[in-house]
């Protein structure tokens, strides 16, 4: 049992460090590891080289509904859903893996990531508790983050129907399927 608990702790620390490196807020670490607040705080300062930012986590689903964030959130969630079916991982490790792939994909297209790891983590929670959902676009067939009970027959995604002010090219090339 002793060996097991040491291994488990090592894993928790590794997870926490990874999350800090990806820019996660302290609340994410508190929620996803069993490490004490004091240890997490110390770890955070050591890894990030600064104190964690204070203040509330973003709790609203609104951000995910705005145009560009919605495309980024949808891309992340598609990767997450795919991995969820393909590999056996703990929930938080799945978020980490999907988030890394999201970053890779966005950066490979010369775009700035819009979705933080903290928001990606919250997004999965919103999906799990039914506050947000995924709906298939009636035009392109891609799956996008929407409010629950969106009527699929009439749903058109932000890529097929960008707002006039969005112009062209900004999200260009991002494929969400
Ligand atoms: Zn579409």
């Amino acid at each position: 049992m002793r060996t097991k608990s040491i291994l488990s702790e090592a894993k928790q620390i590794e997870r926490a460090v990874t999350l800090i490196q990806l820019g996660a807020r302290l609340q994410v670490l508190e929620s996803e590891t069993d490490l004490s607040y004091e240890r997490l705080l110390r770890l955070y300062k050591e890894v990030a080289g600064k104190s964690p930012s204070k203040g509330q986590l973003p709790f609203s689903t609104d951000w995910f509904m705005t145009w560009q964030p919605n495309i980024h959130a949808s891309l992340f969630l598609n990767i997450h859903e795919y991995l969820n079916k393909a590999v056996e991982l703990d929930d938080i490790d799945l978020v980490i893996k999907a988030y890394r792939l999201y970053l890779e994909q966005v950066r490979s297209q010369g775009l700035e990531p819009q979705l933080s790891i903290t928001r990606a983590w919250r997004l999965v929670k919103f999906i799990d508790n039914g506050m947000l959902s995924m709906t298939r676009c009636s035009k392109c067939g891609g799956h996008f983050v929407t409010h629950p009970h969106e009527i699929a027959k009439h749903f058109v995604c932000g890529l097929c129907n960008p707002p006039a002010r969005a112009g062209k090219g900004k999200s260009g090339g991002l494929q969400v399927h």
Side-chain angles (χ1 to χ4, degrees):
M1 281 312 283
R2 187 88 191 111
T3 320
K4 197 180 170 201
S5 73
I6 289 170
L7 279 177
S8 153
E9 190 175 295
K11 193 168 183 187
Q12 304 252 345
I13 291 171
E14 194 193 316
R15 251 181 212 161
V17 168
T18 303
L19 285 166
I20 296 165
Q21 285 169 340
L22 288 171
R25 298 278 298 269
L26 198 64
Q27 288 95 326
V28 180
L29 311 179
E30 281 186 87
S31 165
E32 298 296 339
T33 71
D34 298 327
L35 303 172
S36 71
Y37 177 78
E38 287 68 31
R39 286 193 76 184
L40 286 174
L41 197 60
R42 251 186 295 145
L43 208 57
Y44 191 100
K45 285 181 182 162
E46 201 177 313
V47 175
K50 59 177 185 187
S51 293
S53 54
K54 296 191 173 70
Q56 292 269 319
L57 285 186
F59 280 112
S60 160
T61 56
D62 294 349
W63 184 86
F64 297 99
M65 291 301 128
T66 53
W67 182 67
Q68 222 182 46
N70 183 265
I71 293 165
H72 282 251
S74 300
L75 173 65
F76 165 79
L77 206 55
N78 275 275
I79 297 170
H80 185 272
E81 300 262 297
Y82 169 76
L83 286 178
N84 199 11
K85 287 177 198 141
V87 291
E88 191 91 8
L89 282 176
D90 288 345
D91 290 353
I92 187 62
D93 293 332
L94 200 63
V95 171
I96 290 170
K97 200 175 171 75
Y99 189 72
R100 282 196 166 133
L101 287 169
Y102 157 77
L103 287 183
E104 233 171 69
Q105 174 126 9
V106 168
R107 285 181 179 146
S108 74
Q109 298 180 40
L111 299 169
E112 278 295 312
Q114 305 274 316
L115 185 74
S116 68
I117 180 83
T118 303
R119 284 209 197 262
W121 170 78
R122 284 227 48 99
L123 174 60
V124 173
K125 302 251 181 246
F126 282 142
I127 295 286
D128 285 349
N129 66 21
M131 286 174 74
L132 287 174
S133 182
M134 286 266 261
T135 305
R136 191 172 182 275
C137 171
S138 61
K139 277 196 171 171
C140 69
H143 289 81
F144 289 80
V145 177
T146 61
H147 290 298
H149 319 302
E150 178 75 47
I151 301 162
K153 214 167 105 183
H154 305 298
F155 173 68
V156 178
C157 77
L159 285 177
C160 293
N161 188 24
R165 63 185 161 78
K168 285 208 183 291
K170 251 281 158 126
S171 80
L174 269 192
Q175 297 274 323
V176 183
H177 286 292

